[in-house]
């Protein structure tokens, strides 16, 4: 195993085998490269977004208040929905009233239809009472069979 070592006298770095140095100190990567490498674009953008989110998602910040209001609104509307559903399921008797009214209306409708049928039958009977088959024949001809009862 080889290591890169810098001697204490300031000479150039040397590659040595894995023996214990007495006067030498190990070189760090930052000394070799000159300075720390810049972070990548995506990591910089990600960290700026994360810092912005951290600063805006604390109590008292505008974005935090908006988020809290949205969450509270969703929770309250859910409770209202559940309350109305329970109210309809347990306490709404309007359905029974409407069904009773529909049944009563159907009974009235059947009764009026029967009345109309009866009136139509009476009308036909009165017309048949006035029927004179001889009035439908041609003069001086016999009565056609389709005009007889």
């Amino acid at each position: 195993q080889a290591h890169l070592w810098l001697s204490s006298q300031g000479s150039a770095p040397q590659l040595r085998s894995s023996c214990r140095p007495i006067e030498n100190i190990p070189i760090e990567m930052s000394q070799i490269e000159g300075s720390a490498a810049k972070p990548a674009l995506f990591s910089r953008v990600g960290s700026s977004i994360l810092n912005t989110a951290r600063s805006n998602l604390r109590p008292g910040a505008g974005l935090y208040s908006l988020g809290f209001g949205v969450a509270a609104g969703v929770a309250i509307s859910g409770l209202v929905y559940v309350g109305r559903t329970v109210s309809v399921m347990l306490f709404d008797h309007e359905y029974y009233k409407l069904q009773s009214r529909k049944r009563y209306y159907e009974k009235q409708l059947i009764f009026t239809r029967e009345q109309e049928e009866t009136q139509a039958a009476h009308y036909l009977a009165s017309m048949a009472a006035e029927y004179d088959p001889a009035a439908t024949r041609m003069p001086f001809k016999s009565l056609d069979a389709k005009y007889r009862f």
Side-chain angles (χ1 to χ4, degrees), residues 7 15 51-52 62 123 134-135:
S7 66
L15 188 62
N51 290 336
T52 304
Y123 176 73

Side-chain angles (χ1 to χ4, degrees), residues 20-82:
R20 295 180 154 248
I22 299 172
E23 300 176 18
N24 299 329
I25 41 178
I27 297 176
E28 295 180 19
M29 290 302 291
S30 63
Q31 289 177 340
I32 295 172
E33 294 178 359
S35 65
K38 285 186 173 180
L41 175 68
F42 288 114
S43 66
R44 284 185 298 184
V45 170
S47 65
S48 68
I49 290 173
L50 189 62
N51 290 336
T52 304
R54 278 189 196 141
S55 64
N56 285 323
L57 294 179
R58 295 174 188 238
L63 191 60
Y64 178 85
S65 298
L66 285 173
F68 193 85
V70 166
V74 167
I76 290 173
S77 64
L79 287 174
V80 167
Y81 179 76
V82 168

Side-chain angles (χ1 to χ4, degrees), residues 5 16-24:
W5 297 96
R16 293 190 180 176
S17 64
S18 63
C19 59
R20 295 180 154 248
I22 299 172
E23 300 176 18
N24 299 329

